[in-house]
Amino acid sequence: MTAKGTMLCYFIALVFNIANAQNIPEDFKKVTDSLINVAPKTYYELSSVLKLNSGDTVLLRYFTNAATVKNYREGQIFALNELGKSYRNLSLFNESISLFKKALQVSEADKNIEFRLISLNLLSEVYQKTEAVQSALDNAQKALDLAGSINNPSDNIKRSMNVSMNSIGSIYYLLGQYDRAIDKFKEVIKLEEELGNNLGLANNHQDLGYSYEAEEYLDEALQNFHIALAYNEIAGSKQIRIKSNLGIAHSYVHQGKTQDGLDILESLFKLSENLE
């Protein structure tokens, strides 16, 4: 997205938020009041209720403000991170980073390790998108060190640790250190198998496939792309379905199977049109 397009998206979002600030649906106000009264303490509990509204910046800002007034920090952190994701998806990376940092600050004050790990991992991810490699690595390593310091970590903590390790593998990939990326993704796959995390397995096999492809180990790349798609039959990520198939298409082209690669690319056009 161009700088002009980015600013246009930002001002459209700003105008939309202002115009709708007084038009929050009564149902969402009731959901907000109920959540703040119950005050769930985990990310999963909040996500299970608010996932349908996770892309609506107007509702998320309403929820953030309400949670802040009531000093419900977990709700505030969750909404700030979801807002950050929305701006990240619009390529408004500065705004996204600012929101993730605010969420991290609140999580540190709340001494909530699970939420702190999520914010650190989100920061690492968005820094990768801006190619701020050192910042991406610093935040992933902070999250990994924090998770590793916990005795008897919960499955949620283990999942966050695996996300951090995947981020480090992705940074190695960005730096062209494909051997180190391969080793890291293999390490994460073993840990995801212990958790039975199909989404994590699909994602890491996909990333492993791209690392093998970069090293021109095309048979290994294809094998991992197909494994990723098999796990994704359960996980159901549209992004993984598209990216793994793209990886297969690229590998076919490298093998001289140009028509097979083109056939896969054509099959992905319709699916990619609706990708968020």
PDB file of all heavy atoms in Angstrom, residues 22-42:
ATOM      1  N   GLN A  22     -21.592   7.243  18.783  1.00  0.00           N
ATOM      2  CA  GLN A  22     -22.837   7.274  19.554  1.00  0.00           C
ATOM      3  C   GLN A  22     -23.839   6.227  19.078  1.00  0.00           C
ATOM      4  O   GLN A  22     -24.984   6.219  19.509  1.00  0.00           O
ATOM      5  CB  GLN A  22     -23.466   8.682  19.439  1.00  0.00           C
ATOM      6  CG  GLN A  22     -22.545   9.807  19.859  1.00  0.00           C
ATOM      7  CD  GLN A  22     -22.070   9.668  21.287  1.00  0.00           C
ATOM      8  OE1 GLN A  22     -22.843   9.282  22.164  1.00  0.00           O
ATOM      9  NE2 GLN A  22     -20.806   9.964  21.528  1.00  0.00           N
ATOM     10  N   ASN A  23     -23.410   5.356  18.183  1.00  0.00           N
ATOM     11  CA  ASN A  23     -24.331   4.378  17.597  1.00  0.00           C
ATOM     12  C   ASN A  23     -23.945   2.943  17.909  1.00  0.00           C
ATOM     13  O   ASN A  23     -24.015   2.075  17.055  1.00  0.00           O
ATOM     14  CB  ASN A  23     -24.395   4.575  16.073  1.00  0.00           C
ATOM     15  CG  ASN A  23     -24.955   5.939  15.702  1.00  0.00           C
ATOM     16  OD1 ASN A  23     -25.909   6.400  16.314  1.00  0.00           O
ATOM     17  ND2 ASN A  23     -24.355   6.581  14.717  1.00  0.00           N
ATOM     18  N   ILE A  24     -23.515   2.701  19.130  1.00  0.00           N
ATOM     19  CA  ILE A  24     -23.166   1.355  19.552  1.00  0.00           C
ATOM     20  C   ILE A  24     -24.445   0.553  19.762  1.00  0.00           C
ATOM     21  O   ILE A  24     -25.346   0.994  20.476  1.00  0.00           O
ATOM     22  CB  ILE A  24     -22.353   1.378  20.863  1.00  0.00           C
ATOM     23  CG1 ILE A  24     -21.117   2.256  20.709  1.00  0.00           C
ATOM     24  CG2 ILE A  24     -21.978  -0.040  21.279  1.00  0.00           C
ATOM     25  CD1 ILE A  24     -20.156   1.799  19.648  1.00  0.00           C
ATOM     26  N   PRO A  25     -24.574  -0.621  19.148  1.00  0.00           N
ATOM     27  CA  PRO A  25     -25.786  -1.439  19.331  1.00  0.00           C
ATOM     28  C   PRO A  25     -26.021  -1.776  20.800  1.00  0.00           C
ATOM     29  O   PRO A  25     -25.075  -2.035  21.548  1.00  0.00           O
ATOM     30  CB  PRO A  25     -25.472  -2.700  18.519  1.00  0.00           C
ATOM     31  CG  PRO A  25     -24.441  -2.278  17.527  1.00  0.00           C
ATOM     32  CD  PRO A  25     -23.618  -1.226  18.204  1.00  0.00           C
ATOM     33  N   GLU A  26     -27.272  -1.771  21.186  1.00  0.00           N
ATOM     34  CA  GLU A  26     -27.613  -2.068  22.578  1.00  0.00           C
ATOM     35  C   GLU A  26     -27.150  -3.458  22.978  1.00  0.00           C
ATOM     36  O   GLU A  26     -26.736  -3.678  24.123  1.00  0.00           O
ATOM     37  CB  GLU A  26     -29.120  -1.916  22.792  1.00  0.00           C
ATOM     38  CG  GLU A  26     -29.611  -0.487  22.755  1.00  0.00           C
ATOM     39  CD  GLU A  26     -28.968   0.382  23.830  1.00  0.00           C
ATOM     40  OE1 GLU A  26     -28.794  -0.113  24.963  1.00  0.00           O
ATOM     41  OE2 GLU A  26     -28.631   1.543  23.522  1.00  0.00           O
ATOM     42  N   ASP A  27     -27.224  -4.405  22.040  1.00  0.00           N
ATOM     43  CA  ASP A  27     -26.783  -5.769  22.347  1.00  0.00           C
ATOM     44  C   ASP A  27     -25.306  -5.794  22.728  1.00  0.00           C
ATOM     45  O   ASP A  27     -24.912  -6.509  23.660  1.00  0.00           O
ATOM     46  CB  ASP A  27     -27.017  -6.700  21.151  1.00  0.00           C
ATOM     47  CG  ASP A  27     -28.487  -7.048  20.968  1.00  0.00           C
ATOM     48  OD1 ASP A  27     -29.281  -6.762  21.891  1.00  0.00           O
ATOM     49  OD2 ASP A  27     -28.842  -7.595  19.911  1.00  0.00           O
ATOM     50  N   PHE A  28     -24.497  -5.002  22.011  1.00  0.00           N
ATOM     51  CA  PHE A  28     -23.068  -4.996  22.320  1.00  0.00           C
ATOM     52  C   PHE A  28     -22.813  -4.292  23.648  1.00  0.00           C
ATOM     53  O   PHE A  28     -21.908  -4.693  24.398  1.00  0.00           O
ATOM     54  CB  PHE A  28     -22.266  -4.320  21.209  1.00  0.00           C
ATOM     55  CG  PHE A  28     -20.784  -4.446  21.402  1.00  0.00           C
ATOM     56  CD1 PHE A  28     -20.133  -5.625  21.077  1.00  0.00           C
ATOM     57  CD2 PHE A  28     -20.038  -3.402  21.928  1.00  0.00           C
ATOM     58  CE1 PHE A  28     -18.773  -5.767  21.274  1.00  0.00           C
ATOM     59  CE2 PHE A  28     -18.678  -3.531  22.126  1.00  0.00           C
ATOM     60  CZ  PHE A  28     -18.043  -4.717  21.801  1.00  0.00           C
ATOM     61  N   LYS A  29     -23.583  -3.266  23.958  1.00  0.00           N
ATOM     62  CA  LYS A  29     -23.441  -2.612  25.266  1.00  0.00           C
ATOM     63  C   LYS A  29     -23.729  -3.596  26.392  1.00  0.00           C
ATOM     64  O   LYS A  29     -23.025  -3.621  27.416  1.00  0.00           O
ATOM     65  CB  LYS A  29     -24.395  -1.414  25.362  1.00  0.00           C
ATOM     66  CG  LYS A  29     -24.017  -0.245  24.465  1.00  0.00           C
ATOM     67  CD  LYS A  29     -25.016   0.901  24.647  1.00  0.00           C
ATOM     68  CE  LYS A  29     -24.659   2.083  23.754  1.00  0.00           C
ATOM     69  NZ  LYS A  29     -25.616   3.205  23.902  1.00  0.00           N
ATOM     70  N   LYS A  30     -24.743  -4.448  26.196  1.00  0.00           N
ATOM     71  CA  LYS A  30     -25.079  -5.451  27.214  1.00  0.00           C
ATOM     72  C   LYS A  30     -23.974  -6.489  27.351  1.00  0.00           C
ATOM     73  O   LYS A  30     -23.624  -6.904  28.458  1.00  0.00           O
ATOM     74  CB  LYS A  30     -26.404  -6.125  26.858  1.00  0.00           C
ATOM     75  CG  LYS A  30     -27.617  -5.205  26.985  1.00  0.00           C
ATOM     76  CD  LYS A  30     -28.890  -5.909  26.560  1.00  0.00           C
ATOM     77  CE  LYS A  30     -30.103  -4.976  26.647  1.00  0.00           C
ATOM     78  NZ  LYS A  30     -31.349  -5.643  26.192  1.00  0.00           N
ATOM     79  N   VAL A  31     -23.421  -6.916  26.200  1.00  0.00           N
ATOM     80  CA  VAL A  31     -22.309  -7.870  26.226  1.00  0.00           C
ATOM     81  C   VAL A  31     -21.116  -7.258  26.956  1.00  0.00           C
ATOM     82  O   VAL A  31     -20.467  -7.926  27.780  1.00  0.00           O
ATOM     83  CB  VAL A  31     -21.909  -8.273  24.791  1.00  0.00           C
ATOM     84  CG1 VAL A  31     -20.577  -9.023  24.792  1.00  0.00           C
ATOM     85  CG2 VAL A  31     -22.982  -9.135  24.155  1.00  0.00           C
ATOM     86  N   THR A  32     -20.842  -5.991  26.682  1.00  0.00           N
ATOM     87  CA  THR A  32     -19.727  -5.299  27.334  1.00  0.00           C
ATOM     88  C   THR A  32     -19.927  -5.242  28.843  1.00  0.00           C
ATOM     89  O   THR A  32     -19.022  -5.580  29.625  1.00  0.00           O
ATOM     90  CB  THR A  32     -19.582  -3.870  26.771  1.00  0.00           C
ATOM     91  OG1 THR A  32     -19.246  -3.947  25.383  1.00  0.00           O
ATOM     92  CG2 THR A  32     -18.511  -3.092  27.516  1.00  0.00           C
ATOM     93  N   ASP A  33     -21.115  -4.828  29.260  1.00  0.00           N
ATOM     94  CA  ASP A  33     -21.405  -4.743  30.696  1.00  0.00           C
ATOM     95  C   ASP A  33     -21.286  -6.110  31.362  1.00  0.00           C
ATOM     96  O   ASP A  33     -20.733  -6.234  32.469  1.00  0.00           O
ATOM     97  CB  ASP A  33     -22.810  -4.176  30.922  1.00  0.00           C
ATOM     98  CG  ASP A  33     -22.917  -2.706  30.536  1.00  0.00           C
ATOM     99  OD1 ASP A  33     -21.867  -2.043  30.443  1.00  0.00           O
ATOM    100  OD2 ASP A  33     -24.048  -2.228  30.322  1.00  0.00           O
ATOM    101  N   SER A  34     -21.792  -7.134  30.690  1.00  0.00           N
ATOM    102  CA  SER A  34     -21.753  -8.481  31.254  1.00  0.00           C
ATOM    103  C   SER A  34     -20.319  -8.974  31.402  1.00  0.00           C
ATOM    104  O   SER A  34     -19.938  -9.527  32.443  1.00  0.00           O
ATOM    105  CB  SER A  34     -22.550  -9.434  30.362  1.00  0.00           C
ATOM    106  OG  SER A  34     -22.476 -10.760  30.864  1.00  0.00           O
ATOM    107  N   LEU A  35     -19.507  -8.772  30.364  1.00  0.00           N
ATOM    108  CA  LEU A  35     -18.117  -9.217  30.423  1.00  0.00           C
ATOM    109  C   LEU A  35     -17.338  -8.493  31.517  1.00  0.00           C
ATOM    110  O   LEU A  35     -16.550  -9.101  32.244  1.00  0.00           O
ATOM    111  CB  LEU A  35     -17.436  -8.987  29.067  1.00  0.00           C
ATOM    112  CG  LEU A  35     -17.595 -10.082  28.021  1.00  0.00           C
ATOM    113  CD1 LEU A  35     -16.980  -9.636  26.697  1.00  0.00           C
ATOM    114  CD2 LEU A  35     -16.950 -11.377  28.473  1.00  0.00           C
ATOM    115  N   ILE A  36     -17.561  -7.201  31.631  1.00  0.00           N
ATOM    116  CA  ILE A  36     -16.847  -6.427  32.647  1.00  0.00           C
ATOM    117  C   ILE A  36     -17.267  -6.864  34.046  1.00  0.00           C
ATOM    118  O   ILE A  36     -16.437  -6.949  34.967  1.00  0.00           O
ATOM    119  CB  ILE A  36     -17.070  -4.922  32.430  1.00  0.00           C
ATOM    120  CG1 ILE A  36     -16.356  -4.477  31.146  1.00  0.00           C
ATOM    121  CG2 ILE A  36     -16.574  -4.108  33.627  1.00  0.00           C
ATOM    122  CD1 ILE A  36     -16.615  -3.047  30.743  1.00  0.00           C
ATOM    123  N   ASN A  37     -18.539  -7.204  34.210  1.00  0.00           N
ATOM    124  CA  ASN A  37     -19.011  -7.678  35.518  1.00  0.00           C
ATOM    125  C   ASN A  37     -18.428  -9.043  35.871  1.00  0.00           C
ATOM    126  O   ASN A  37     -18.017  -9.288  37.008  1.00  0.00           O
ATOM    127  CB  ASN A  37     -20.539  -7.743  35.538  1.00  0.00           C
ATOM    128  CG  ASN A  37     -21.173  -6.365  35.601  1.00  0.00           C
ATOM    129  OD1 ASN A  37     -20.587  -5.420  36.129  1.00  0.00           O
ATOM    130  ND2 ASN A  37     -22.377  -6.233  35.057  1.00  0.00           N
ATOM    131  N   VAL A  38     -18.391  -9.944  34.884  1.00  0.00           N
ATOM    132  CA  VAL A  38     -17.842 -11.280  35.117  1.00  0.00           C
ATOM    133  C   VAL A  38     -16.319 -11.236  35.174  1.00  0.00           C
ATOM    134  O   VAL A  38     -15.687 -11.980  35.934  1.00  0.00           O
ATOM    135  CB  VAL A  38     -18.306 -12.255  34.012  1.00  0.00           C
ATOM    136  CG1 VAL A  38     -17.653 -13.624  34.169  1.00  0.00           C
ATOM    137  CG2 VAL A  38     -19.834 -12.390  34.033  1.00  0.00           C
ATOM    138  N   ALA A  39     -15.720 -10.366  34.353  1.00  0.00           N
ATOM    139  CA  ALA A  39     -14.272 -10.133  34.313  1.00  0.00           C
ATOM    140  C   ALA A  39     -13.460 -11.399  34.059  1.00  0.00           C
ATOM    141  O   ALA A  39     -12.661 -11.829  34.898  1.00  0.00           O
ATOM    142  CB  ALA A  39     -13.807  -9.461  35.608  1.00  0.00           C
ATOM    143  N   PRO A  40     -13.639 -12.036  32.892  1.00  0.00           N
ATOM    144  CA  PRO A  40     -12.820 -13.210  32.559  1.00  0.00           C
ATOM    145  C   PRO A  40     -11.334 -12.860  32.600  1.00  0.00           C
ATOM    146  O   PRO A  40     -10.942 -11.740  32.255  1.00  0.00           O
ATOM    147  CB  PRO A  40     -13.250 -13.554  31.127  1.00  0.00           C
ATOM    148  CG  PRO A  40     -14.579 -12.903  30.955  1.00  0.00           C
ATOM    149  CD  PRO A  40     -14.568 -11.681  31.798  1.00  0.00           C
ATOM    150  N   LYS A  41     -10.514 -13.832  32.990  1.00  0.00           N
ATOM    151  CA  LYS A  41      -9.088 -13.583  33.172  1.00  0.00           C
ATOM    152  C   LYS A  41      -8.213 -14.150  32.070  1.00  0.00           C
ATOM    153  O   LYS A  41      -6.996 -13.954  32.095  1.00  0.00           O
ATOM    154  CB  LYS A  41      -8.628 -14.161  34.526  1.00  0.00           C
ATOM    155  CG  LYS A  41      -9.278 -13.515  35.741  1.00  0.00           C
ATOM    156  CD  LYS A  41      -8.909 -12.046  35.842  1.00  0.00           C
ATOM    157  CE  LYS A  41      -9.521 -11.407  37.082  1.00  0.00           C
ATOM    158  NZ  LYS A  41      -9.198  -9.960  37.174  1.00  0.00           N
ATOM    159  N   THR A  42      -8.806 -14.882  31.116  1.00  0.00           N
ATOM    160  CA  THR A  42      -7.990 -15.480  30.059  1.00  0.00           C
ATOM    161  C   THR A  42      -8.362 -14.901  28.697  1.00  0.00           C
ATOM    162  O   THR A  42      -9.493 -14.463  28.475  1.00  0.00           O
ATOM    163  CB  THR A  42      -8.155 -17.008  30.000  1.00  0.00           C
ATOM    164  OG1 THR A  42      -9.463 -17.337  29.529  1.00  0.00           O
ATOM    165  CG2 THR A  42      -7.918 -17.626  31.370  1.00  0.00           C
TER     166      THR A  42
END
